[in-house]
Amino acid sequence: MDTPVALVSTTHTICERCKQNPANHKLRTEKVCAQCFSVYITTKAIKRMETYRHRGPKTQASKKLLLPLSFGPCSTSLLYILNDHLQGQYDRMNRATYELIVVHINIFTTPKDREISFKRLQEFQSRFPRHCFRMINLEESLQVEDIDWNTIDTFLLPETRGQISPDVKLSQLIGSIVSPTSRAEMVSILFFRLLVSFGRKNNCESVLFGDSITKLAEKTLTVIARGNGSSLQWQVSDGLSPLGISCKYPLRDLNKKEIVAFSLLATPPLDGLIIRDDTTPMSSCEKPSTINDLMSQYFESVESNYPSIVANVVRTCGKLRTMTSQNSTPCGLCGLPFDNEMGTLSCDSGISSSHQPIQLPKHVSSFCRGCFKLVSNTQ
Amino acid sequence: MAPIPCAVCKDSRALIVRPKNHQKLCKNCFISVFEEEVHQTISTTKIFSPGERIAIGASGGKDSTVLASVLKTLNSKYNYGLELVLLSIDEGIKGYRDDSLETVKNNAIQYDMPLKIVGYDELYGWTMDQVVETIGKKGNCTYCGVFRRQALDRGAKMLGIKHVVTGHNADDLAETILMNLLRGDLSRLARSTNIMTGDDSSDVRRSKPLKYAYEKEIVLYAHHKKLEYFTTECIYSPEAFRGSARTLIKNLERIRPSAILDVVRSGEDMAKMVSEEASLFDHCRSQEGPQINEQGGEEDTGGCGGSNGRTSGGEMAEMEKLLVENEIASEREIDFTSEPIIVGEKSAKKLLQTSGAQPKKQSQPKVNRQKLGTCSKCGYMSSQQVCKACSLLEGLNKNRPKIEIEI
């Protein structure tokens, strides 16, 4: 029977892509059905994995890629997409061009939290059995040799004597930092250093982050607000990092809302696995206590009205050249190269000298501006 | 609790907590430290030379008042050898600008500086009162910003002065950096971080000696030195939407006071990372090539006293619309540069036919280098044939008998 057109248009809209199913998802400017939405999201991510297509001799070994899993919707969605991608490769060509090592890093130190994380990781293992799952703890970053721990301990743990367990030491280290936003920064730096160190030990070629374009925009402004504009390229761009491992962001063409919507469409459902940190309108009224939270709230509000502006911020920073200077040395904490001459003014020494009268020049030269303030506890 | 001694002199009681770094200071030490920091900014960047005549853009607001006071103090204390002049622009807004100009006149007497007032009606034949009568309140800030920027330069030329200093502070700069980032404007980002724009080949140079001073400290300095300044906001933009960049800056400052200066420094670092095509970055006076000052550009921010950071409400919406259109258009492009394609003869022919059907577009259009020229109408510098002010003026004059503009 031929349904009248007027009746169809008044009851529901048709998907603009396949023209068949009801359109219950909004895709930028289009109204699409659930299936076309999922295909769009998946295609955007797989497109970024083109470097791992089948190419060259068949005997070429698979590449190892590290996927940090936070149990959030973005990293879980990335794992779900790549799992299907690998399965498809194997079905068609009887081999895969890369293999995933999925790692979860425990930030919290209570045994109960770690037990919960371990069980959740086991559930992930059951759901995606072809991958290698590992769990490590943040205090293992204390053994990363590239970090200048001697100097950091001098600043932040001057009274500590003798042997203490790594988790207690890490707690004391972070606890001695005064401001909440500096503590959050220290945790994220150690997290990243540990991730890179773990990836290199396991011979991984790249780290695949599940960061959306929203997350990258937040990170961009956080880095700028930290005063580390010169190292911006290393922190939000795809490619080889100065730490000896590549960083890739396969979900960088998608914003967070789209990825969250995608994670709700997965079959079978991922709901039992994902930890959702849905922000209620009530919590958004709270004043953010860290720069990260502020940027998160800011871009969440910008994204709802102006999603392209969020993407444009990251795209704009991608056009900046990397600063390669003869004077650049790696920072003793974050490891990124910095130029000690760049942007240094007398105002800096004028301000900091009142806080650190015993400060020696050699300390300044081993940390970048942002990390030095972090380590010396000058807000 | 016992009174906290001053962190610098240890003698007097601390009355001020510095917004910049939470240092506790007494009144005299705060004034001294503030002036010293401005001096360090001036001496390390070498923006002045002995014997130079400097015009201080004076609006009667706190920034320009503090700038005039500090420059007078430092000029005598460190023997800069500068000749300082106050330069004010009268937009012709009754009930607002005439009152603030009274403040500037008092400042001129108090600081013993010559004062030159240039009016919009004198330069353009229109006061802002008349502009608003003609076009209404919406959009009048654009006219005022464009006119004011040019008027300051033309006023300086009348005085035979080649260097104008403005009271832009660290908050203004941080806000401008974030705003240009949200706009995706790398050229403007590179220019806005420079403490001085233009060089000897330009008509008028601009400097921002208060570049690293916090807005709150400027208020504290004015208060403790008992400086008189005007605080009323512009009456034609009382409902103006405060830019989201400004709100973000204020929230950042609350979380970490040093973040404002950190944003400024990041902006400086990123300016060096902008490709040379995007900007002629004039880092020092000896560098060749003029620095282009675009009409209605980055220095609109922070002018006109208390109207800092006001932008039209629809700006982000327009930006979003433009970006969406760009994205839709780019999806129609055929990208041949993603990776090398090894194709047979048949496939090659197909590709050629396809590329013929849809001409290939540049994935990243080359950033156009702006060229410094002069307006064909008034002779002021402009990157276009006719400068922005004359274009706006032409629109206004269509509804009015022609009036000759004299320079």
Side-chain angles (χ1 to χ4, degrees):
Chain A
M1 188 181 74
D2 197 11
T3 314
V5 178
L7 183 59
V8 171
S9 63
T10 51
T11 51
H12 57 261
T13 338
I14 294 294
C15 173
E16 291 179 29
R17 294 203 167 193
C18 63
K19 315 292 182 187
Q20 292 176 27
N21 301 319
N24 41 26
H25 282 83
K26 197 168 193 302
L27 185 59
R28 307 289 162 102
T29 52
E30 294 174 87
K31 291 194 173 79
V32 296
C33 65
Q35 188 178 336
C36 290
F37 182 81
S38 295
V39 168
Y40 173 84
I41 300 292
T42 304
T43 305
K44 282 286 183 179
I46 297 303
K47 212 172 182 181
R48 291 276 172 179
M49 301 294 291
E50 281 297 290
T51 51
Y52 303 106
R53 273 191 326 142
H54 286 105
R55 237 191 343 263
K58 292 213 171 188
T59 53
Q60 191 169 348
S62 303
K63 295 182 174 65
K64 284 188 188 176
L65 306 176
L66 186 67
L67 195 154
L69 181 70
S70 64
F71 303 143
C74 289
S75 54
T76 305
S77 294
L78 181 60
L79 175 59
Y80 173 83
I81 291 168
L82 296 187
N83 183 69
D84 281 3
H85 185 236
L86 284 168
Q87 189 62 50
Q89 275 192 5
Y90 198 83
D91 290 346
R92 281 185 276 105
M93 308 281 289
N94 207 41
R95 68 184 183 92
T97 54
Y98 62 91
E99 56 180 292
L100 295 178
I101 297 178
V102 184
V103 65
H104 175 77
I105 297 181
N106 278 317
I107 293 175
F108 307 108
T109 52
T110 59
K112 185 168 185 179
D113 288 324
R114 293 189 171 176
E115 180 81 14
I116 292 171
S117 294
F118 184 72
K119 283 179 178 170
R120 187 171 292 268
L121 201 64
Q122 283 181 318
E123 290 169 17
F124 269 88
Q125 177 86 74
S126 304
R127 172 64 186 267
F128 305 103
R130 63 156 46 240
H131 311 297
C132 172
F133 285 81
R134 300 280 294 276
M135 189 164 90
I136 54 181
N137 301 316
L138 188 60
E139 63 262 22
E140 293 176 46
S141 64
L142 298 174
Q143 284 128 52
V144 176
E145 293 167 3
D146 296 340
I147 297 178
D148 187 359
W149 285 116
N150 288 329
T151 311
I152 295 173
D153 288 351
T154 304
F155 275 108
L156 293 176
L157 295 171
E159 285 114 31
T160 307
R161 298 282 183 256
Q163 287 292 327
I164 51 175
S165 61
D167 57 320
V168 171
K169 181 174 181 181
L170 185 69
S171 295
Q172 289 179 6
L173 185 96
I174 294 175
S176 68
I177 297 172
V178 171
S179 76
T181 197
S182 296
R183 285 199 291 270
E185 277 170 21
M186 178 62 89
V187 168
S188 72
I189 289 171
L190 295 182
F191 183 99
F192 184 75
R193 294 303 302 263
L194 178 57
L195 198 62
V196 167
S197 175
F198 181 85
R200 287 164 72 184
K201 279 175 186 168
N202 288 270
N203 298 310
C204 295
E205 186 187 270
S206 296
V207 185
L208 304 178
F209 291 95
D211 288 358
S212 61
I213 197 70
T214 316
K215 182 75 175 183
L216 291 178
E218 290 165 21
K219 203 185 282 187
T220 297
L221 285 206
T222 301
V223 167
I224 288 170
R226 236 181 130 232
N228 278 51
S230 57
S231 67
L232 193 50
Q233 280 285 44
W234 307 118
Q235 309 209 36
V236 296
S237 296
D238 279 13
L240 188 65
S241 77
L243 300 174
I245 200 169
S246 275
C247 296
K248 295 212 191 299
Y249 304 90
L251 301 181
R252 73 182 297 133
D253 295 316
L254 307 162
N255 59 50
K256 184 170 183 180
K257 277 199 301 185
E258 289 168 344
I259 298 172
V260 170
F262 172 82
S263 66
L264 295 167
L265 301 175
T267 52
L270 296 166
D271 276 345
L273 299 173
I274 291 176
I275 296 177
R276 298 189 184 275
D277 60 338
D278 295 327
T279 47
T280 58
M282 187 60 65
S283 70
S284 67
C285 292
E286 296 171 16
K287 291 186 173 182
S289 60
T290 66
I291 291 179
N292 268 63
D293 292 341
L294 172 65
M295 297 310 179
S296 203
Q297 271 184 29
Y298 176 73
F299 279 111
E300 206 168 289
S301 63
V302 170
E303 184 178 86
S304 54
N305 294 309
Y306 315 112
S308 291
I309 287 183
V310 178
N312 197 47
V313 169
V314 181
R315 209 182 302 136
T316 299
C317 292
K319 294 174 186 170
L320 298 170
R321 294 179 316 206
T322 47
M323 204 62 162
T324 48
S325 168
Q326 299 300 323
N327 298 327
S328 67
T329 50
C331 172
L333 178 55
C334 66
L336 301 175
F338 73 102
D339 186 353
N340 207 23
E341 298 300 319
M342 185 192 285
T344 306
L345 284 178
S346 316
C347 294
D348 274 335
S349 57
I351 293 169
S352 60
S353 65
S354 62
H355 284 268
Q356 296 286 336
I358 58 170
Q359 172 189 315
L360 299 176
K362 71 179 183 183
H363 290 327
V364 181
S365 64
S366 65
F367 295 107
C368 65
R369 187 192 304 127
C371 289
F372 176 72
K373 294 200 308 183
L374 200 53
V375 161
S376 59
N377 236 335
T378 54
Q379 274 269 321
Chain B
M1 193 171 68
I4 301 168
C6 171
V8 168
C9 65
K10 316 289 183 187
D11 288 336
S12 309
R13 181 178 181 175
L15 297 174
I16 300 163
V17 178
R18 289 195 71 187
K20 185 179 268 181
N21 54 14
H22 290 163
Q23 206 180 18
K24 296 181 176 63
L25 301 172
C26 67
K27 173 180 152 184
N28 290 330
C29 287
F30 169 73
I31 290 172
S32 177
V33 164
F34 182 90
E35 289 169 356
E36 206 58 34
E37 280 181 7
V38 176
H39 171 61
Q40 280 178 355
T41 302
I42 291 169
S43 52
T44 53
T45 54
K46 300 186 175 71
I47 54 179
F48 298 137
S49 38
E52 202 173 10
R53 296 184 69 212
I54 305 293
I56 301 171
S59 61
K62 65 187 187 303
D63 295 318
S64 54
T65 299
V66 165
L67 177 61
S69 170
V70 170
L71 283 188
K72 181 180 171 60
T73 302
L74 297 180
N75 194 31
S76 62
K77 187 177 179 184
Y78 292 104
N79 293 314
Y80 291 162
L82 305 173
E83 185 185 335
L84 301 171
V85 176
L86 292 176
L87 174 58
S88 283
I89 306 300
D90 181 0
E91 293 92 352
I93 304 173
K94 206 159 188 54
Y96 163 69
R97 184 51 84 192
D98 46 356
D99 291 344
S100 69
L101 286 177
E102 285 304 313
T103 306
V104 180
K105 287 170 184 171
N106 294 338
N107 289 348
I109 296 167
Q110 189 179 342
Y111 303 149
D112 191 29
M113 291 179 190
L115 168 61
K116 170 73 173 178
I117 300 179
V118 181
Y120 278 7
D121 52 354
E122 182 182 342
L123 292 177
Y124 306 114
W126 290 78
T127 62
M128 280 309 295
D129 287 340
Q130 293 164 345
V131 171
V132 171
E133 264 182 39
T134 305
I135 66 168
K137 282 193 177 179
K138 190 175 180 181
N140 82 92
C141 292
T142 301
Y143 284 79
C144 191
V146 169
F147 285 167
R148 186 196 322 113
R149 207 199 177 291
Q150 195 188 74
L152 211 50
D153 280 1
R154 290 169 69 168
K157 281 184 86 176
M158 287 177 188
L159 297 167
I161 291 178
K162 284 179 156 266
H163 198 160
V164 174
V165 293
T166 56
H168 292 94
N169 55 51
D171 299 47
D172 298 329
L173 259 79
E175 183 185 311
T176 302
I177 288 163
L178 290 188
M179 209 157 50
N180 288 331
L181 206 55
L182 290 169
R183 284 176 184 161
D185 194 335
L186 282 182
S187 303
R188 200 167 287 182
L189 178 71
R191 288 196 303 272
S192 65
T193 56
N194 214 345
I195 190 169
M196 177 165 62
T197 58
D199 55 17
D200 288 326
S201 65
S202 303
D203 284 341
V204 179
R205 291 201 304 274
R206 297 282 190 111
S207 292
K208 299 171 261 191
L210 298 182
K211 180 186 181 184
Y212 299 114
Y214 275 38
E215 187 173 28
K216 284 181 181 173
E217 297 198 352
I218 287 169
V219 175
L220 283 171
Y221 181 88
H223 170 74
H224 288 289
K225 285 210 90 177
K226 295 179 170 53
L227 304 179
E228 177 198 348
Y229 63 90
F230 197 71
T231 57
T232 309
E233 307 252 333
C234 176
I235 59 175
Y236 287 138
S237 62
E239 309 299 330
F241 172 72
R242 285 190 161 254
S244 61
R246 181 165 185 83
T247 306
L248 191 57
I249 283 292
K250 289 303 162 191
N251 286 330
L252 259 182
E253 187 183 18
R254 194 173 35 79
I255 292 175
R256 171 185 280 179
S258 65
I260 287 179
L261 225 48
D262 288 332
V263 170
V264 173
R265 295 222 171 86
S266 282
E268 288 171 346
D269 290 342
M270 289 191 293
K272 292 169 184 168
M273 292 155 66
V274 173
S275 63
E276 288 180 3
E277 283 177 354
S279 111
L280 288 167
F281 188 72
D282 187 5
H283 192 57
C284 58
R285 303 164 71 130
S286 61
Q287 186 170 316
E288 293 179 357
Q291 175 67 40
I292 307 298
N293 290 314
E294 190 176 87
Q295 297 302 306
E298 69 279 359
E299 294 196 10
D300 274 353
T301 318
C304 207
S307 67
N308 283 355
R310 289 177 192 270
T311 53
S312 60
E315 192 182 31
M316 287 181 84
E318 287 164 17
M319 182 76 179
E320 171 71 16
K321 189 180 174 187
L322 180 70
L323 288 169
V324 169
E325 286 166 0
N326 286 349
E327 194 175 329
I328 292 170
S330 69
E331 280 177 7
R332 302 196 191 104
E333 290 174 8
I334 296 173
D335 193 358
F336 289 97
T337 59
S338 58
E339 55 187 302
I341 301 170
I342 303 171
V343 294
E345 189 173 314
K346 281 189 175 181
S347 303
K349 284 182 178 177
K350 279 189 177 179
L351 285 174
L352 286 173
Q353 288 169 10
T354 311
S355 70
Q358 294 188 43
K360 178 187 170 186
K361 292 181 185 176
Q362 292 266 355
S363 59
Q364 278 198 8
K366 188 173 181 179
V367 184
N368 289 321
R369 171 178 284 199
Q370 287 178 318
K371 295 178 180 177
L372 177 64
T374 53
C375 174
S376 60
K377 290 202 170 186
C378 66
Y380 182 69
M381 63 176 162
S382 172
S383 56
Q384 309 291 322
Q385 173 81 359
V386 177
C387 69
K388 185 78 172 179
C390 286
S391 302
L392 294 176
L393 208 52
E394 190 173 333
L396 289 171
N397 282 331
K398 278 178 183 175
N399 302 314
R400 192 160 126 163
K402 210 159 189 180
I403 296 176
E404 196 70 23
I405 302 172
E406 296 177 23
I407 299 176

